[in-house]
Amino acid sequence: MTRSPILVITTGGTIDKQYFDALSEYKISDSVIEQLLATARVKHPFRVVELMRKDSLELTEADRDLIAATIAAAPEKRVVITHGTDTMTDTAKALAHLKDRTIVLAGALAPARFKESDAPFNLGMAFACCQAAQPGVWITMNGTVFDGLAVRKDREAGAFVSI
Amino acid sequence: MTRSPILVITTGGTIDKQYFDALSEYKISDSVIEQLLATARVKHPFRVVELMRKDSLELTEADRDLIAATIAAAPEKRVVITHGTDTMTDTAKALAHLKDRTIVLAGALAPARFKESDAPFNLGMAFACCQAAQPGVWITMNGTVFDGLAVRKDREAGAFVSI
Amino acid sequence: MTRSPILVITTGGTIDKQYFDALSEYKISDSVIEQLLATARVKHPFRVVELMRKDSLELTEADRDLIAATIAAAPEKRVVITHGTDTMTDTAKALAHLKDRTIVLAGALAPARFKESDAPFNLGMAFACCQAAQPGVWITMNGTVFDGLAVRKDREAGAFVSI
Amino acid sequence: MTRSPILVITTGGTIDKQYFDALSEYKISDSVIEQLLATARVKHPFRVVELMRKDSLELTEADRDLIAATIAAAPEKRVVITHGTDTMTDTAKALAHLKDRTIVLAGALAPARFKESDAPFNLGMAFACCQAAQPGVWITMNGTVFDGLAVRKDREAGAFVSI
């Protein structure tokens, strides 16, 4: 394992959701990713790009093109993307053409600002996976490293499962 | 990636430290690992063995032999060990003879019961690493997947560094 | 101060909001009040009545009559009510006719399930106020014990202020 | 209730304990009180004086004299003191001669930096008590407003009880 730098792209999703009392609403806020990495005492070199703040159901083809273009233009070979869970697998497919990169998508089923959230564990999985796995697109959710092209979200179960 | 089951061995360390008011002390308690995995909504098959509850400075050669024997006797090929950080690298060396297993050691610099702890992130890294990495002994701390035989804890910096 | 028992009535509000991934929504869930009191190691005698689970903007006159009737029928002279913040002062007025009771309304501007919430502090204020204050209706928010009939929520400031 | 300002004196104790990995020890750190008050969104006027950082078993008569002198010299009539629990009642007695002040002592049985701590609830109780109670010395622990001169810590039960 070399300590090659990691590009972290944030796109929004539940992981970054905040509660706004003024609206009695629950919206995507400024990203908590840098704070999660500080709490985890990460010393590994990384760079965060806050690319968009969207619920993943609102992501367009243009958004996915932008994510792909950002990765293609980056010097880093290891990439973590934080992403809403509902269309995470669509984005995985849209990035499959990028060769020679280890790309890992992760998100959370409960916002990172909650006391009980899967966010730090999933982000940790993504950090390790992009260092340890072969080039390709991976999804790290529910404790499993999934092939990003062979997984779906089982919405009722609230969990990702292999296909 | 197959969904092969993961053996989780707990040995104690800061990650499991609790504060006991009756003693005004801070001691290793019943392990928080199962709770961390529940919060992370882990659906991946795993089995937890609480092997010992020790500060890693108190671990003996006999303790390390027991850890090795437990792994050697286990059906799982993927192993996560939670461990105090001070002698984590000693245990890594003591497990290096175990072939055909992907063994990952992880711990925490702040107890998991703290609001701000690296425990869930590090445990997530270990879960992903034991699935994605080649057989061998690894350490996942400070955001990096380290070769378990080429890393040391820099006590003053409070961080692991490659050697 | 006698250790006279406290009646805790929950009505919903932000304090009890939970995030539901299946709906990508944020709804009032089973109350966290008992858990907050356990975390606070409360040994004082209390009884919790989960009366309703509503955003306070949805509370009707009938709901407020029910809250008043529940208090009037209760043996406890000290009452804590958890309540959404938007119409907390309306409920305070609707309870003003109840004499010989020390009634305290409290809620939260961030859900109790968040890492950073005002919920435990505000609930602690309410517990102390119902023991230490004269009979009447009080609101404990933003660090102040307010006369429940002389306070309003400044929605833009996200804070309660005296009037 | 007037919005008269509150003096907050910190003296150390479990509430402010932090874990230091470099020593594998658990020591009193810079106070978390200001952070707890920010999380609680306190708008009430207050002033924090970090007077000492001691385990309450280490407090001397001179320390208690200093606490009393600090209060006697302060313009605020309402005072909250955060304090270790083991000798909290001794300090209460040492402050009993201060008339015309409402003084409330509070601490925590688990450090405020823990996910599950009684610190914010107890601090909320103290804030409300110093506003709502008559002049005198009070202790707010375990959900009860205690007369500071008629309470003891039951160390085995981990709770304060009236005497």
Side-chain angles (χ1 to χ4, degrees):
Chain A
M1 301 292 135
T2 59
R3 295 219 330 150
S4 63
I6 296 170
L7 170 64
V8 182
I9 296 174
T10 74
T11 68
T14 292
I15 195 169
D16 273 333
K17 282 195 177 169
Q18 173 63 292
Y19 181 75
F20 292 99
D21 176 68
L23 307 166
S24 294
E25 256 185 14
Y26 194 62
K27 287 211 169 168
I28 295 162
S29 172
D30 50 308
S31 178
V32 296
I33 303 305
E34 302 238 23
Q35 193 185 317
L36 290 175
L37 296 175
T39 298
R41 305 182 181 210
V42 170
K43 307 294 183 193
H44 198 97
F46 67 87
R47 175 171 68 103
V48 175
V49 175
E50 295 200 20
L51 205 56
M52 51 200 76
R53 292 185 185 181
K54 289 196 173 185
D55 193 302
S56 77
L57 293 171
E58 297 163 11
L59 288 175
T60 63
E61 199 174 335
D63 290 328
R64 294 196 166 88
D65 289 347
L66 176 59
I67 297 170
T70 303
I71 295 170
E76 294 92 349
K77 294 297 179 195
R78 304 172 192 284
V79 183
V80 168
I81 304 170
T82 62
H83 197 287
T85 55
D86 285 320
T87 69
M88 193 182 274
T89 56
D90 296 334
T91 301
K93 287 185 192 79
L95 303 176
H97 66 283
L98 295 165
K99 304 298 177 193
D100 294 327
R101 313 264 179 174
T102 306
I103 301 167
V104 189
L105 292 131
L109 297 166
R113 286 175 175 87
F114 270 51
K115 271 187 249 179
E116 303 293 327
S117 168
D118 51 336
F121 187 96
N122 294 347
L123 189 62
M125 287 193 78
F127 253 67
C129 181
C130 77
Q131 294 173 64
Q134 299 301 314
V137 183
W138 309 94
I139 284 178
T140 53
M141 292 291 295
N142 299 109
T144 297
V145 175
F146 291 104
D147 176 342
L149 306 181
V151 59
R152 68 180 180 83
K153 181 179 176 188
D154 180 338
R155 201 171 167 93
E156 279 180 44
F160 283 74
V161 291
S162 296
I163 53 177
Chain B
M1 302 289 133
T2 59
R3 295 219 330 149
S4 63
I6 296 170
L7 171 63
V8 182
I9 296 175
T10 74
T11 68
T14 292
I15 194 169
D16 273 333
K17 282 197 177 165
Q18 173 64 293
Y19 181 76
F20 292 97
D21 176 67
L23 307 166
S24 294
E25 258 185 14
Y26 194 64
K27 288 212 165 167
I28 295 162
S29 173
D30 49 307
S31 177
V32 296
I33 304 304
E34 301 237 23
Q35 193 184 317
L36 289 175
L37 297 176
T39 298
R41 304 184 182 207
V42 170
K43 307 294 184 193
H44 198 97
F46 67 87
R47 177 171 68 102
V48 175
V49 175
E50 294 200 20
L51 205 57
M52 51 200 77
R53 291 184 186 182
K54 289 197 173 184
D55 193 301
S56 77
L57 293 171
E58 298 163 11
L59 288 175
T60 64
E61 198 175 337
D63 290 329
R64 294 199 166 85
D65 289 347
L66 177 59
I67 297 171
T70 303
I71 295 170
E76 293 91 349
K77 294 297 178 196
R78 303 171 192 286
V79 183
V80 168
I81 304 170
T82 62
H83 198 288
T85 55
D86 285 320
T87 69
M88 193 181 273
T89 56
D90 296 334
T91 301
K93 286 185 192 78
L95 302 175
H97 66 283
L98 295 165
K99 304 297 178 195
D100 293 329
R101 313 264 179 176
T102 307
I103 300 168
V104 188
L105 292 131
L109 297 166
R113 286 175 174 87
F114 271 48
K115 270 186 250 181
E116 303 294 326
S117 168
D118 51 336
F121 187 95
N122 293 346
L123 189 62
M125 287 193 77
F127 253 68
C129 181
C130 78
Q131 294 173 63
Q134 299 300 313
V137 183
W138 310 94
I139 284 178
T140 53
M141 291 292 295
N142 299 110
T144 297
V145 175
F146 291 104
D147 176 341
L149 306 181
V151 60
R152 67 179 180 85
K153 181 179 175 186
D154 181 338
R155 202 170 166 92
E156 276 179 47
F160 283 74
V161 291
S162 296
I163 53 177
Chain C
M1 303 291 132
T2 59
R3 296 220 329 150
S4 62
I6 296 171
L7 170 64
V8 182
I9 296 174
T10 74
T11 68
T14 292
I15 195 170
D16 273 333
K17 282 197 177 167
Q18 173 64 293
Y19 182 74
F20 292 97
D21 177 68
L23 307 165
S24 294
E25 256 183 16
Y26 193 63
K27 288 211 168 170
I28 295 163
S29 173
D30 49 307
S31 177
V32 295
I33 302 305
E34 302 238 21
Q35 193 186 316
L36 290 175
L37 296 176
T39 297
R41 305 183 181 208
V42 170
K43 308 293 183 194
H44 198 97
F46 66 86
R47 177 171 67 102
V48 175
V49 174
E50 295 200 19
L51 205 57
M52 51 200 76
R53 292 184 185 181
K54 289 196 172 184
D55 194 300
S56 77
L57 293 171
E58 297 163 12
L59 288 176
T60 63
E61 198 176 337
D63 290 328
R64 294 197 167 88
D65 289 347
L66 176 58
I67 297 170
T70 302
I71 296 170
E76 293 92 350
K77 294 297 179 195
R78 304 172 191 284
V79 182
V80 168
I81 304 170
T82 62
H83 197 289
T85 55
D86 285 321
T87 68
M88 192 181 274
T89 55
D90 296 333
T91 301
K93 287 184 191 79
L95 302 176
H97 65 285
L98 295 165
K99 303 298 177 192
D100 294 328
R101 313 263 180 177
T102 306
I103 300 168
V104 188
L105 292 131
L109 297 165
R113 287 175 174 87
F114 270 49
K115 269 186 251 179
E116 304 294 326
S117 168
D118 51 338
F121 187 95
N122 293 346
L123 190 61
M125 288 193 78
F127 253 66
C129 181
C130 78
Q131 293 173 66
Q134 299 301 313
V137 183
W138 309 94
I139 284 178
T140 54
M141 292 291 296
N142 299 109
T144 297
V145 174
F146 291 105
D147 176 341
L149 306 181
V151 59
R152 68 179 180 84
K153 181 179 175 186
D154 180 339
R155 203 172 166 92
E156 277 179 46
F160 283 73
V161 291
S162 295
I163 53 177
Chain D
M1 302 291 133
T2 59
R3 295 220 329 150
S4 63
I6 296 171
L7 170 63
V8 182
I9 296 175
T10 74
T11 68
T14 292
I15 194 168
D16 273 333
K17 282 197 176 165
Q18 174 63 293
Y19 182 76
F20 292 98
D21 177 67
L23 307 166
S24 294
E25 257 184 14
Y26 195 63
K27 289 212 168 168
I28 295 163
S29 172
D30 50 308
S31 177
V32 296
I33 303 304
E34 302 237 23
Q35 193 184 317
L36 290 175
L37 296 176
T39 297
R41 305 183 181 209
V42 170
K43 308 293 183 195
H44 198 97
F46 66 88
R47 176 171 68 102
V48 175
V49 175
E50 295 201 17
L51 205 56
M52 50 201 77
R53 292 183 186 183
K54 289 197 172 183
D55 194 301
S56 77
L57 293 171
E58 298 163 10
L59 287 175
T60 64
E61 198 175 338
D63 290 328
R64 293 198 167 87
D65 287 348
L66 177 58
I67 297 171
T70 303
I71 295 170
E76 294 91 349
K77 294 298 180 195
R78 303 172 191 284
V79 182
V80 168
I81 304 170
T82 62
H83 198 287
T85 55
D86 284 321
T87 69
M88 193 181 274
T89 56
D90 295 334
T91 301
K93 286 185 193 77
L95 303 176
H97 65 284
L98 295 164
K99 304 297 178 195
D100 294 327
R101 312 265 180 175
T102 306
I103 300 168
V104 190
L105 292 132
L109 297 165
R113 286 175 175 87
F114 271 50
K115 269 186 250 178
E116 303 292 328
S117 168
D118 50 336
F121 187 95
N122 294 346
L123 190 61
M125 286 193 79
F127 253 67
C129 182
C130 78
Q131 293 173 65
Q134 299 300 314
V137 183
W138 309 94
I139 284 179
T140 53
M141 292 291 295
N142 299 109
T144 297
V145 175
F146 291 104
D147 176 341
L149 306 181
V151 60
R152 68 180 180 85
K153 181 179 176 187
D154 180 339
R155 203 171 165 93
E156 278 179 44
F160 283 74
V161 291
S162 296
I163 52 176

